[in-house]
């Protein structure tokens, strides 16, 4: 009893100290008090819990979280972003009911997902952004359910059904996307997970789990439960039957009698090849071609004199993926990536499958670097095709080629719909 009381007092005191730290955090001169409550205290408290009551780690996590939300425009993602049609139609899973303590239930029939087809249709970043959109939607439901039910609703129970899960699901680009999503979940939505039930696990499950385990915190690993053939009975110990589809032991079914309730739980399925063509980039007119040797990088340098300018890019690679990131120099001399400010974090993109395009708004003048990174590959060089441009606040802009998955420029500009821009084609920008 003494130990429990001491731990409660320690937790209470540390949390009070942490909250006093939270309100002093700043991002680019904007005090954390200006952020929404869920971005400030609630998620900070979640980070505090997830880091075993370590004050310094929790503070560092919150600083990173605030910066990440700003870089990815997360506070407005529910209004400004719509998941691509192919993701909406063919990505598996959906919310269905609540467990006996009020946690939301997510059912994931993962064995029916066609990640290869999805990644042949949209960019990897679009898939990840769609999952961020989903998590923000779920957090809005937490707030709504908490008000309606007059109780705390802030966690999820996930049912991973691995029926039909096989070797095709271990395809590396697909696994990379999944681990990237896990990283976002762990780093920015900690303690959202209450418990995960893994059912119908195939023989290759240990291989798949060993691949994703390094991306899971110890706390998350403790919440994963593998259930055998009697999974329905186990699930009903935690979830009332009227909160679960018949397929998984409950009493619910769709109006047509389907026990899997596909109207609420995405059933997945093979992505039609008609989706593939919409992201094909066969016309490379105006693109610059360059070869990047194995273990090497290629950097493009953009001096920006006017704050509010936009750098846009589009590129594809021939045969293999490439690392890509955006940086801002902190001095007038050539710098290594680790010495520059990170604008867009370096990550490997499947630009050999789906053309990559995007943009950043430069809030400060200076020299910005687009970095194509092949240092992780010691056996293969990469052929890169790219086109870039800088848009400055001035006069109307001409268009540039882009894939249909690109967001409209107006959605990305902070200056408003009345802003106009000049188009500088940079077919041969200076190379850093």
């Amino acid at each position: 009893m003494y130990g429990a009381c001491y731990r409660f007092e320690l937790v209470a005191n540390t949390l009070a100290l942490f909250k006093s730290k939270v309100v002093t955090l700043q991002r680019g001169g904007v005090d954390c008090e200006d952020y929404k409550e869920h971005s400030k205290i609630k998620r900070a408290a979640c980070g505090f819990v997830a880091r075993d009551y370590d004050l310094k780690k929790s503070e560092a996590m919150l600083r990173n979280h605030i910066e990440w939300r700003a870089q990815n425009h997360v506070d407005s993602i529910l209004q400004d972003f719509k998941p691509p049609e192919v993701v909406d139609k063919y990505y598996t899973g959906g919310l269905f009911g609540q467990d006996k303590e009020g946690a939301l239930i997510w059912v994931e029939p993962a064995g029916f997902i066609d990640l290869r087809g999805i990644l042949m249709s949209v960019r990897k970043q679009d898939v990840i952004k769609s999952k961020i959109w989903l998590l923000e939607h779920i957090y809005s439901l937490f707030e709504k359910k908490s008000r309606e039910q007059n109780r705390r609703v802030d966690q999820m129970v996930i049912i991973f059904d691995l029926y039909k899960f096989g070797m095709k699901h271990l395809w590396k680009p697909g696994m990379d996307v999944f681990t990237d999503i896990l990283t976002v979940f762990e780093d920015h939505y900690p303690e959202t997970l209450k418990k995960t039930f893994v059912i119908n696990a195939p023989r290759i499950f240990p291989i798949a789990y060993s691949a994703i385990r390094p991306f899971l915190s110890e706390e998350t690993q403790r919440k994963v439960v593998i259930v055998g053939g009697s999974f329905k009975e186990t699930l009903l110990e935690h979830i009332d039957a009227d909160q679960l589809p018949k397929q998984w032991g409950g009493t619910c079914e769709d109006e047509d009698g389907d026990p899997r309730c596909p109207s609420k739980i995405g059933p997945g399925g093979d992505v039609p090849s008609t989706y593939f063509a919409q992201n094909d980039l066969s016309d490379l007119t105006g693109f610059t071609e360059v070869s990047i040797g194995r273990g090497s990088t290629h950097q493009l340098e953009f001096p920006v004199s006017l704050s509010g300018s936009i750098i846009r890019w589009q590129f594809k690679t021939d045969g293999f993926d490439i690392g890509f990131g955006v940086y801002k120099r902190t001095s007038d001399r050539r710098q290594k990536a680790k010495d520059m400010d990170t604008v867009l974090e370096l990550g490997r993109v499947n630009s050999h499958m789906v053309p990559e395009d995007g943009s950043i708004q430069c809030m400060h003048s200076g020299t910005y670097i687009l970095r194509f990174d092949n240092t992780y590959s010691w056996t293969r060089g990469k052929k890169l095709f790219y086109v870039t441009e800088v848009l400055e606040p001035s006069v109307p802009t001409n268009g540039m080629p882009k894939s249909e998955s690109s967001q409209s420029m107006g959605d990305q500009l902070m200056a408003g719909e009345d802003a106009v821009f000049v188009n500088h084609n940079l077919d041969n920008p200076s190379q850093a």
Side-chain angles (χ1 to χ4, degrees):
M1 176 66 71
Y2 172 78
C5 292
Y6 173 77
R7 182 173 177 80
F8 178 80
E9 183 178 358
L10 175 64
V11 169
N13 291 339
T14 309
L15 181 57
L17 179 59
F18 181 53
K19 286 184 176 181
S20 70
K21 284 272 190 179
V22 166
V23 297
T24 64
L25 291 179
Q26 293 182 336
R27 182 196 61 79
V30 180
D31 196 281
C32 188
E33 286 284 5
D34 292 336
Y35 281 80
K36 297 178 181 178
E37 182 68 14
H38 72 82
S39 298
K40 185 182 62 178
I41 297 295
K42 183 175 181 180
R43 287 185 179 168
C46 288
F48 160 78
V49 173
R51 292 300 178 266
D52 295 324
Y53 312 108
D54 188 310
L55 184 61
K56 289 183 178 180
K57 286 184 179 180
S58 297
E59 181 179 345
M61 185 179 184
L62 181 61
R63 290 180 185 275
N64 177 64
H65 176 67
I66 292 174
E67 182 177 355
W68 174 82
R69 290 186 71 85
Q71 288 180 349
N72 293 277
H73 308 290
V74 177
D75 284 336
S76 61
I77 195 171
L78 291 178
Q79 294 76 39
D80 299 341
F81 176 76
K82 181 179 180 181
E85 179 181 303
V86 68
V87 175
D88 189 50
K89 282 189 174 183
Y90 291 98
Y91 215 103
T92 51
L95 288 169
F96 200 102
Q98 294 174 261
D99 77 352
K100 293 181 179 180
E101 296 178 341
L104 301 186
I105 301 167
W106 179 273
V107 181
E108 180 69 36
F112 291 91
I113 193 168
D114 177 17
L115 265 179
R116 181 186 292 270
I118 291 173
L119 291 177
M120 288 291 288
S121 306
V122 294
R123 302 179 305 164
K124 172 182 175 181
Q125 281 69 22
D126 289 330
V127 176
I128 295 172
K129 193 170 184 178
S130 296
K131 287 302 178 180
I132 296 173
W133 181 93
L134 175 62
L135 286 164
E136 288 295 307
H137 172 66
I138 289 172
Y139 264 66
S140 70
L141 289 178
F142 285 161
E143 296 174 4
K144 180 181 178 182
K145 294 289 186 182
S146 296
R147 290 193 302 268
E148 291 176 347
Q149 300 174 10
N150 196 29
R151 60 176 175 175
R152 184 176 178 179
V153 179
D154 61 358
Q155 286 191 305
M156 293 172 58
V157 171
I158 300 177
I159 301 172
F160 262 106
D161 188 347
L162 297 184
Y163 176 68
K164 292 288 187 179
F165 189 91
M167 290 298 295
K168 70 176 183 179
H169 296 97
L170 299 183
W171 179 58
K172 189 178 186 306
M175 290 293 290
D176 289 344
V177 169
F178 187 70
T179 54
D180 283 350
I181 293 170
L182 282 179
T183 299
V184 169
F185 189 75
E186 287 283 342
D187 290 352
H188 302 291
Y189 301 89
E191 293 305 295
T192 302
L193 179 68
K194 179 181 178 181
K195 189 178 290 292
T196 294
F197 294 100
V198 179
I199 63 176
N200 293 319
R203 291 183 179 180
I204 65 168
F205 174 73
I207 299 174
Y209 188 67
S210 66
I212 66 172
R213 185 175 180 179
F215 299 89
L216 303 176
S217 66
E218 291 184 5
E219 180 64 22
T220 298
Q221 292 179 40
R222 287 194 287 267
K223 296 177 180 179
V224 178
V225 178
I226 302 174
V227 187
S230 59
F231 70 82
K232 292 183 179 181
E233 290 82 354
T234 300
L235 293 179
L236 289 174
E237 291 176 6
H238 302 268
I239 305 168
D240 290 329
D242 64 356
Q243 298 291 301
L244 202 59
K246 280 186 177 181
Q247 179 72 22
W248 293 281
T251 58
C252 299
E253 58 185 20
D254 269 355
E255 291 183 359
D256 62 357
D258 193 325
R260 301 179 67 88
C261 297
S263 65
K264 293 185 177 181
I265 300 170
D270 293 339
V271 175
S273 59
T274 51
Y275 281 99
F276 302 168
Q278 67 182 25
N279 287 285
D280 181 38
L281 185 60
S282 55
D283 183 5
L284 296 174
T285 303
F287 281 68
T288 298
E289 177 182 343
V290 64
S291 294
I292 306 176
R294 56 187 183 181
S296 301
T297 64
H298 183 75
Q299 300 187 163
L300 305 178
E301 178 181 316
F302 298 90
V304 173
S305 57
L306 296 177
S307 61
S309 296
I310 286 180
I311 301 175
R312 290 180 54 170
W313 60 83
Q314 185 175 25
F315 64 88
K316 67 174 293 186
T317 46
D318 188 8
F320 304 97
D321 65 359
I322 193 76
F324 178 72
V326 182
Y327 301 86
K328 182 179 180 293
R329 281 187 180 167
T330 57
S331 76
D332 296 332
R333 296 178 297 178
R334 182 184 177 93
Q335 294 178 293
K336 295 181 178 180
K338 64 182 180 65
D339 298 321
M340 295 187 284
D341 289 338
T342 300
V343 180
L344 179 65
E345 188 174 359
L346 182 72
R348 291 171 66 172
V349 295
N350 296 326
S351 51
H352 61 304
M353 300 174 61
V354 180
E356 187 74 15
D357 60 83
S359 65
I360 58 162
Q361 186 169 35
C362 307
M363 303 311 297
H364 304 282
S365 60
T367 300
Y368 290 78
I369 305 295
L370 269 59
R371 177 183 174 93
F372 299 93
D373 193 309
N374 195 36
T375 56
Y376 57 88
S377 178
W378 289 98
T379 59
R380 296 189 180 97
K382 307 292 170 64
K383 185 177 290 186
L384 171 72
F385 304 87
Y386 67 84
V387 62
T388 56
E389 62 179 352
V390 173
L391 308 173
E392 294 179 349
S394 184
V395 296
T397 180
N398 298 318
M400 74 170 285
K402 65 178 182 178
S403 69
E404 293 183 6
S405 63
S406 302
Q407 287 181 294
S408 65
M409 187 188 306
D411 291 338
Q412 300 172 21
L413 305 182
M414 297 174 63
E417 62 183 8
D418 294 329
V420 288
F421 298 87
V422 65
N423 181 350
H424 294 299
N425 287 318
L426 299 179
D427 294 332
N428 292 293
S430 52
Q431 298 179 7

